[in-house]
Amino acid sequence: MIDEKNMNGKKKIYILQNEKNEDYLKNYSFYIPNYQRGYKWSKENIEDLLNDINSIGQDNKKDHCLHNLTIINNEDKGQYEVVDGQQRLTTIYLLLNYLNSEEIYNLDYQIREKTKEFIEKKITCVINLIKNVKDIENNEKIKEIFSNLVKDNNNYNKQDIYFICNALYCMHKWFKSNENNNHQNFENFENLEEKIKNNLQNVYFYKHELELKKKNIKDEKTNIKGETVFANLNSGKVALTDIELIKADLIINISENKFKENNDVLLNEIRSNIGRLWDEMESFLAQDEVWYWIAANNKSANKLSLLFNLIGIETFKYYNDLFENKENKENKENKENKKISNDILNKIKDYYYTIKDWYYDNDMYHLVGIAVNIGKSIKDLLPEKTDDDKYKLKNKIIKSIIKKLSLKIDDNNYIEIGETQYKDLSYQDNKNDIIKNIMLLLNCLEGYNFNKKIFNKGFRYRFDLHNKEEWSIEHIFPQNATKENYKSYILDLIFLFKEENKEELKKICGILGIVNNNKNIDELKKLIIEKLREPINEKKENDVEKEYIDINKINEISNKIVFDIQKIGNLALLQKDVNSSLQNGIFEEKRSKLLEKLSNGNIFIPPLTLKIFSKNFDGAERTKAYWTPTDFDAYINYQEAQLEKIFKIIKD
């Protein structure tokens, strides 16, 4: 049973001591229980808090309240269990460390040993590194500091440790950016840090203490359910998600059902083990390389939502209804609750270990990654039974990819996408998303060994980098002629034309206004080349038009005569910002810029795109510094050959 103490005359706990404060945080030792989530305050939360503290003394504001701090006195531990307010309490703890205060209270963790270790051993070092950052607007600095921290000790690669580091960096940015603005408001203090430290003497929590009461049965105590209070209070600024409520409730149900005797040590051990499992699952899924691979379209901040969605539990209400439906059964509630809770956890664990196994299996990693990233549901990919062997499962996923892309081979052995022949896929026919998905598949297939039917060990497509960027379709041969060297490109192509191209040459003559009559091919080429050697006129102002070539005529030639630049043989996958930076440069210019970006190490170029601009595929004219009609045809043939091999895999 719970007593709520001091609810009317609420007692204040101040952050720092002064002559008027009766109670302050240094008098307490706190621990964060296993049902609490990790630390996740944002930049906005940090700035709001610091602005509130800084405003004390202005406009007759004498103090600032941080709302309730709900705690339970655990006499056996000699510590207070934090039921509600841990985000604010942790932030104040970090602020006191940043300010190098001597009045820092003890903050412990029931689980998350590495977070505890980081706070005890590394936080001062991290603060010093942060304070040495001069360019406070460079948000990459904190990532660099955290990355180096993890390199030294990979055990620190935890989400809450990153948020702790980021909070400290946000504090540093706030102090540096406000020092000049608030110089006149330092009053009698040497700097802004001293002012904030002084103001913290007038910042307080309302103490909301929950106490244990003994039953009238011998000396037996009733374990207070801080978890239940936690799930219902939620009075802090960071709202609890449904998944977090479900996690907390599952920890309660499973631990109490597994161990019904009143042994706090064993009960807490069971809860800690379950809590560690939650942390392990969330930490694994929170890795960019994992999340963007398996959940490309899932925007949830809580990564465990993926696993709960797989078992059909998306809201706390739905979860709670599973138990409510069992309440009216005679004396079976505890038994049913135990079974439901254990079933839920076991299913989640099964899905977690399945996904983890897929991630470390190079074939499954790529097949699942392709399927998810072109829009397939993970549920559709899961084996129908646990003993389904991977060979069958891989074939099942390949078939699902083929179906999703509407890939097929017609009666004449041509590749088709739906009702369109593959070679006729066009950028202009509203098939942009289809082309992007096809390009993703083709880029992944660059690492596939069709003879061995496995992805090469050294190949690992970066779905994380693929999904962090916005992608677009790049025209290898540019869409619009804008430069004089574009005309030179066409001149070179004219030299390649043969007798069978005579009609095309006549069309070019028509575009350029050349009277050709019955000229032979060599005469036609000569006339065209002479005309193309005239300068390009882009402005047409105060010039004699006959001495210039209209730029639009060059465009018309490239669009209709050279090859259809909108077709799949002239398209590649590139990051949108990179694509824009290439603008309408010719092939050689684009290749040079891409290779330069690649050498600088600041770009992800998909493997097939790199192969295209290196002309490293069968049939390519490697000696030509531009994209020729021969390259166009060879590139289409290469794509179709790769796609045909997929069908052979599932037939064998």
Side-chain angles (χ1 to χ4, degrees):
M1 183 175 177
I2 298 174
D3 266 351
E4 299 192 359
K5 186 178 179 181
N6 298 317
M7 286 300 290
N8 295 322
K10 290 182 179 178
K11 188 174 181 180
K12 298 177 181 178
I13 309 178
Y14 284 85
I15 307 305
L16 295 180
Q17 180 184 19
N18 67 23
E19 64 276 7
K20 298 179 181 179
N21 297 343
E22 294 182 5
D23 201 9
Y24 52 97
L25 287 176
K26 196 177 180 183
N27 292 335
Y28 295 82
S29 177
F30 301 101
Y31 76 92
I32 310 299
N34 52 18
Y35 54 81
Q36 293 270 16
R37 59 182 154 173
Y39 180 71
K40 288 186 181 179
W41 254 30
S42 67
K43 173 178 176 286
E44 290 74 20
N45 296 137
I46 301 292
E47 290 177 346
D48 287 346
L49 174 64
L50 290 171
N51 287 331
D52 287 337
I53 297 171
N54 190 43
S55 66
I56 294 174
Q58 302 171 20
D59 299 325
N60 296 318
K61 181 177 178 179
K62 296 180 180 179
D63 52 27
H64 179 68
C65 176
L66 296 172
H67 306 290
N68 284 351
L69 179 63
T70 305
I71 53 179
I72 299 170
N73 186 2
N74 190 321
E75 295 177 0
D76 294 335
K77 283 180 172 286
Q79 292 179 304
Y80 284 87
E81 175 182 342
V82 180
V83 176
D84 183 60
Q86 73 111 345
Q87 299 282 330
R88 286 161 284 147
L89 187 67
T90 303
T91 304
I92 292 296
Y93 179 85
L94 297 177
L95 178 59
L96 292 177
N97 275 275
Y98 182 87
L99 296 172
N100 197 25
S101 171
E102 295 180 358
E103 297 183 50
I104 299 177
Y105 47 92
N106 185 59
L107 188 63
D108 203 351
Y109 290 83
Q110 189 169 0
I111 56 173
R112 298 189 179 96
E113 293 91 343
K114 294 305 172 184
T115 302
K116 176 184 176 182
E117 179 186 307
F118 167 77
I119 285 176
E120 291 177 347
K121 297 181 179 180
K122 288 291 183 180
I123 195 168
T124 301
C125 175
V126 169
I127 289 171
N128 290 335
L129 290 171
I130 288 172
K131 286 188 173 182
N132 285 328
V133 173
K134 305 301 181 185
D135 182 9
I136 59 172
E137 297 306 320
N138 186 352
N139 292 323
E140 295 300 314
K141 285 294 183 182
I142 188 57
K143 295 179 182 178
E144 180 183 328
I145 290 171
F146 181 72
S147 178
N148 291 333
L149 180 73
V150 172
K151 284 180 183 177
D152 291 339
N153 188 340
N154 192 55
N155 290 322
Y156 292 152
N157 191 14
K158 306 291 183 186
Q159 193 176 53
D160 49 343
I161 294 179
Y162 173 77
F163 276 99
I164 287 172
C165 293
N166 191 59
L168 291 166
Y169 191 70
C170 291
M171 292 175 188
H172 178 62
K173 287 181 68 175
W174 184 88
F175 277 105
K176 289 302 178 185
S177 61
N178 281 276
E179 274 178 352
N180 294 331
N181 296 336
N182 290 337
H183 186 72
Q184 68 277 14
N185 296 325
F186 290 169
E187 300 167 359
N188 298 321
F189 304 105
E190 185 177 340
N191 54 45
L192 186 55
E193 288 187 17
E194 289 300 316
K195 180 188 176 186
I196 293 298
K197 192 183 291 186
N198 179 76
N199 285 1
L200 283 171
Q201 297 177 39
N202 297 300
V203 179
Y204 61 88
F205 288 98
Y206 277 123
K207 181 180 179 181
H208 181 196
E209 184 177 349
L210 307 174
E211 291 189 346
L212 294 174
K213 272 195 171 182
K214 294 181 182 179
K215 287 183 177 180
N216 293 323
I217 304 175
K218 299 181 181 179
D219 294 327
E220 185 179 17
K221 288 185 178 180
T222 301
N223 285 314
I224 193 168
K225 288 193 176 181
E227 301 96 330
T228 305
V229 181
F230 165 80
N232 289 285
L233 278 175
N234 188 27
S235 60
K237 290 183 181 178
V238 181
L240 292 174
T241 67
D242 284 351
I243 301 303
E244 286 160 341
L245 292 172
I246 296 168
K247 279 170 55 183
D249 201 64
L250 280 173
I251 289 176
I252 302 167
N253 289 340
I254 295 170
S255 58
E256 290 186 349
N257 283 318
K258 282 189 175 183
F259 196 83
K260 296 181 179 179
E261 296 179 18
N262 295 298
N263 186 317
D264 287 343
V265 174
L266 291 177
L267 183 63
N268 284 331
E269 181 63 26
I270 292 168
R271 291 182 176 183
S272 295
N273 288 337
I274 300 172
R276 288 189 190 95
L277 177 61
W278 289 131
D279 273 357
E280 177 193 329
M281 292 190 289
E282 189 162 18
S283 295
F284 173 76
L285 292 171
Q287 297 176 81
D288 284 351
E289 285 192 36
V290 177
W291 188 250
Y292 287 112
W293 157 68
I294 194 67
N297 301 311
N298 189 321
K299 307 303 180 185
S300 174
N302 192 312
K303 308 310 181 188
L304 288 176
S305 63
L306 173 72
L307 301 177
F308 281 99
N309 289 348
L310 286 175
I311 63 173
I313 297 178
E314 299 184 17
T315 65
F316 185 71
K317 181 181 184 304
Y318 180 87
Y319 165 82
N320 206 42
D321 286 346
L322 295 176
F323 296 91
E324 294 293 332
N325 292 338
K326 304 294 180 182
E327 282 188 356
N328 295 326
K329 293 191 176 183
E330 298 179 6
N331 301 319
K332 291 185 178 179
E333 182 178 349
N334 290 335
K335 183 178 179 181
E336 292 291 345
N337 284 354
K338 178 180 178 181
K339 184 177 185 304
I340 294 170
S341 298
N342 284 326
D343 283 350
I344 290 172
L345 182 60
N346 287 334
K347 286 178 182 177
I348 287 173
K349 284 164 60 179
D350 286 344
Y351 284 129
Y352 165 64
Y353 289 121
T354 295
I355 290 171
K356 194 172 183 179
D357 179 59
W358 288 355
Y359 179 75
Y360 289 111
D361 181 310
N362 205 32
D363 290 340
M364 291 299 297
Y365 168 83
H366 286 99
L367 294 176
V368 170
I370 295 166
V372 169
N373 279 271
I374 65 172
K376 289 295 294 180
S377 164
I378 304 172
K379 282 185 177 180
D380 295 338
L381 308 180
L382 291 165
E384 295 178 3
K385 52 186 179 181
T386 56
D387 61 348
D388 211 356
D389 66 74
K390 278 190 180 176
Y391 177 78
K392 292 180 180 178
L393 182 57
K394 289 173 185 176
N395 271 5
K396 172 187 172 182
I397 296 174
I398 293 172
K399 288 177 182 178
S400 73
I401 292 169
I402 290 172
K403 184 176 180 181
K404 182 69 178 177
L405 294 175
S406 301
L407 269 172
K408 58 184 179 180
I409 299 179
D410 68 11
D411 295 337
N412 296 316
N413 287 325
Y414 289 116
I415 297 288
E416 290 185 337
I417 302 290
E419 300 304 318
T420 304
Q421 279 200 9
Y422 185 78
K423 64 184 179 62
D424 292 329
L425 274 182
S426 173
Y427 181 82
Q428 290 182 323
D429 291 342
N430 300 316
K431 290 185 170 65
N432 198 16
D433 287 339
I434 293 175
I435 292 173
K436 283 183 184 178
N437 288 339
I438 289 286
M439 288 295 172
L440 172 62
L441 171 61
L442 288 168
N443 275 284
C444 288
L445 289 179
E446 285 301 298
Y448 193 77
N449 186 322
F450 285 96
N451 292 325
K452 295 182 178 179
K453 297 182 182 178
I454 59 171
F455 281 89
N456 296 320
K457 289 183 179 179
F459 181 81
R460 191 84 166 171
Y461 190 80
R462 294 296 300 273
F463 291 101
D464 57 326
L465 299 180
H466 180 95
N467 282 299
K468 284 181 180 179
E469 302 291 343
E470 189 175 354
W471 293 81
S472 65
I473 299 301
E474 162 71 359
H475 287 77
I476 303 169
F477 188 102
Q479 292 189 80
N480 300 301
T482 57
K483 298 182 179 179
E484 184 71 30
N485 55 14
Y486 199 154
K487 185 184 68 174
S488 299
Y489 176 92
I490 296 175
L491 272 169
D492 286 339
L493 290 180
I494 297 298
F495 281 110
L496 298 174
F497 276 33
K498 299 177 182 178
E499 187 65 39
E500 59 266 27
N501 303 119
K502 189 172 182 179
E503 291 304 314
E504 283 88 340
L505 287 172
K506 287 182 178 180
K507 290 178 183 178
I508 293 176
C509 288
I511 292 171
L512 295 174
I514 298 171
V515 178
N516 61 76
N517 296 327
N518 294 317
K519 307 288 187 194
N520 62 39
I521 188 167
D522 290 332
E523 291 173 329
L524 288 174
K525 288 168 71 172
K526 183 179 178 182
L527 288 170
I528 292 169
I529 289 168
E530 286 177 357
K531 182 66 177 177
L532 287 174
R533 282 178 174 161
E534 294 177 3
I536 293 176
N537 175 23
E538 298 191 53
K539 295 183 179 178
K540 294 187 188 177
E541 294 179 2
N542 302 321
D543 286 318
V544 180
E545 187 176 350
K546 66 179 181 180
E547 295 180 358
Y548 294 90
I549 300 174
D550 184 351
I551 188 68
N552 294 320
K553 292 180 179 179
I554 298 295
N555 289 338
E556 191 175 349
I557 292 171
S558 65
N559 287 342
K560 294 185 178 180
I561 306 301
V562 180
F563 48 71
D564 191 336
I565 64 172
Q566 305 296 343
K567 293 289 178 67
I568 194 76
N570 191 50
L571 305 177
L573 191 65
L574 264 181
Q575 293 175 13
K576 192 170 185 178
D577 58 340
V578 175
N579 193 353
S580 300
S581 71
L582 299 180
Q583 298 177 335
N584 284 304
I586 61 171
F587 182 83
E588 183 60 28
E589 289 179 333
K590 291 182 178 182
R591 173 161 62 181
S592 297
K593 287 181 180 179
L594 279 177
L595 292 178
E596 181 183 353
K597 288 177 178 292
L598 187 63
S599 64
N600 291 335
N602 61 351
I603 183 178
F604 168 59
I605 302 179
L608 179 58
T609 304
L610 185 60
K611 176 176 278 190
I612 293 163
F613 282 95
S614 302
K615 285 202 176 186
N616 187 25
F617 57 91
D618 292 341
E621 292 193 289
R622 294 180 175 84
T623 59
K624 298 291 191 297
Y626 45 82
W627 192 248
T628 70
T630 301
D631 295 326
F632 174 89
D633 291 335
Y635 178 39
I636 290 180
N637 292 338
Y638 178 78
Q639 293 178 55
E640 289 189 309
Q642 290 289 89
L643 296 175
E644 284 175 11
K645 292 174 185 176
I646 297 177
F647 289 94
K648 291 180 181 178
I649 296 173
I650 57 177
K651 284 181 181 179
D652 293 343

